[in-house]
Amino acid sequence: MTNQMLSIGPHTFKSRLLLGTGKFPDFEVQKEAVDVSETEVLTFAVRRMNIFEPHQPNFLEMLDLEKYTLLPNTAGAATAEEAVRIARLAKASGLCDMIKVEVIGDAKTLLPDPLETVKACEILLEENFIVLPYISDDVLLAKRLQQLGVHAVMPGASPIGSGQGIINPLNLSFIIEQASVPVIVDAGIGSPSDAAYAMELGADGVLLNTAVSGAKHPIQMAQAMKLAIEAGRLGFEAGRIPAKKYATASSPMDGMITI
Ligand SMILES: CC(=O)[C@@H](O)[C@H](O)COP(=O)(O)O
């Protein structure tokens, strides 16, 4: 029997769904979506928090924060230096010791800059953060980051917010095969079947946002994602049959008496 929990550094979670907190139609819908998703990890952009406007409503204030682990991210950073600065701010505010390192290298595709990401991870590891870098589905980059000591890798399924699902399952499966830390598929998930597929490939978890916040009915979609991730994981652990080119009878006739 495989381990049912997701472990990232010193943190352990029952749920393998990590949820983003952006772009929900309103706080009430968001709160209910978070509830039904049964996620235990919420990620948010430190830069988008109203730290200079403390009287403005903030979604995190609506939550029972005992129930969740917050995963601050460095969204908005374009260089390692900016990412490190944001991470330090998050740590100083006592939010969490984990940081999702997100260094965007291109405004159109929102793809991460690999060199700046590595640089930021090196510094943050030195400073004892629990480091989760968002990366492209680059197998060698995932390996190098593991060697550096990151606590999880977060390869994108496809560009952030694109809902294109898993564009390169082969690369993702190579990353998973050689992983010595959890692999969390992050960004680009569009539908529950995308999330289930990531889990069936052997991912340890899925981080998603737009597929739920932008759905026609975010609460139902949050529940669908929870179920899909659970089903995908169960299917992975159960061990799927190999795909074959030709048919094999489901009720073999060998050994049966013919009349
Ligand atoms: C890297 C990043 O920013 C993603 O975590 C994003 O928050 C979620 O991506 P989707 O909105 O495509 O699910």
Side-chain angles (χ1 to χ4, degrees):
M1 197 62 187
T2 40
N3 177 14
Q4 296 294 314
M5 306 286 273
L6 166 64
S7 294
I8 303 173
H11 302 277
T12 306
F13 307 105
K14 246 179 17 217
S15 165
R16 291 173 182 274
L17 168 59
L18 292 78
L19 202 58
T21 52
K23 302 183 290 191
F24 279 82
D26 60 60
F27 284 164
E28 277 68 33
V29 169
Q30 181 167 15
K31 186 173 180 322
E32 201 163 341
V34 169
D35 277 349
V36 302
S37 77
E38 291 182 18
T39 185
E40 293 164 273
V41 182
L42 294 169
T43 184
F44 64 95
V46 176
R47 274 211 162 159
R48 289 202 194 99
M49 289 197 69
N50 290 330
I51 45 177
F52 299 112
E53 294 168 86
H55 304 302
Q56 289 297 310
N58 177 345
F59 170 64
L60 298 178
E61 281 168 9
M62 296 187 66
L63 298 174
D64 170 7
L65 289 179
E66 295 287 300
K67 276 172 63 182
Y68 302 99
T69 297
L70 298 180
L71 174 58
N73 67 59
T74 65
T79 64
E81 200 191 336
E82 283 172 7
V84 168
R85 202 175 326 126
I86 294 170
R88 285 178 185 151
L89 195 65
K91 198 177 197 176
S93 65
L95 291 171
C96 187
D97 53 352
M98 296 204 288
I99 187 80
K100 184 177 120 175
V101 176
E102 196 175 323
V103 187
I104 299 303
D106 174 57
K108 193 166 176 189
T109 59
L110 295 182
L111 288 172
D113 181 322
L115 300 181
E116 293 297 310
T117 301
V118 169
K119 234 192 277 176
C121 289
E122 271 171 339
I123 298 169
L124 294 170
L125 287 166
E126 279 281 310
E127 296 183 13
N128 296 320
F129 280 85
I130 309 294
V131 179
L132 295 79
Y134 163 61
I135 56 173
S136 297
D137 55 5
D138 182 321
V139 187
L140 271 300
L141 178 61
K143 204 169 175 174
R144 292 297 290 269
L145 284 163
Q146 276 172 205
Q147 288 162 352
L148 267 187
V150 300
H151 301 82
V153 287
M154 309 185 87
S158 52
I160 297 172
S162 71
Q164 291 191 53
I166 300 174
I167 285 181
N168 194 335
L170 187 66
N171 269 15
L172 221 43
S173 70
F174 288 154
I175 291 176
I176 290 164
E177 243 172 59
Q178 55 87 48
S180 56
V181 295
V183 178
I184 313 290
V185 173
D186 178 9
I189 296 294
S191 68
S193 62
D194 298 334
Y197 189 22
M199 297 308 291
E200 284 181 44
L201 288 172
D204 297 279
V206 171
L207 191 156
L208 55 90
N209 189 152
T210 312
V212 168
S213 64
K216 199 163 156 195
H217 301 294
I219 300 163
Q220 279 104 314
M221 188 57 84
Q223 191 179 13
M225 289 297 183
K226 166 194 132 60
L227 295 172
I229 288 168
E230 286 172 1
R233 180 67 189 183
L234 203 54
F236 169 72
E237 289 179 0
R240 62 153 291 156
I241 58 166
K244 287 187 286 195
K245 191 168 176 187
Y246 294 107
T248 315
S250 305
S251 308
M253 303 304 262
D254 299 352
M256 290 196 66
I257 301 161
T258 45
I259 304 166

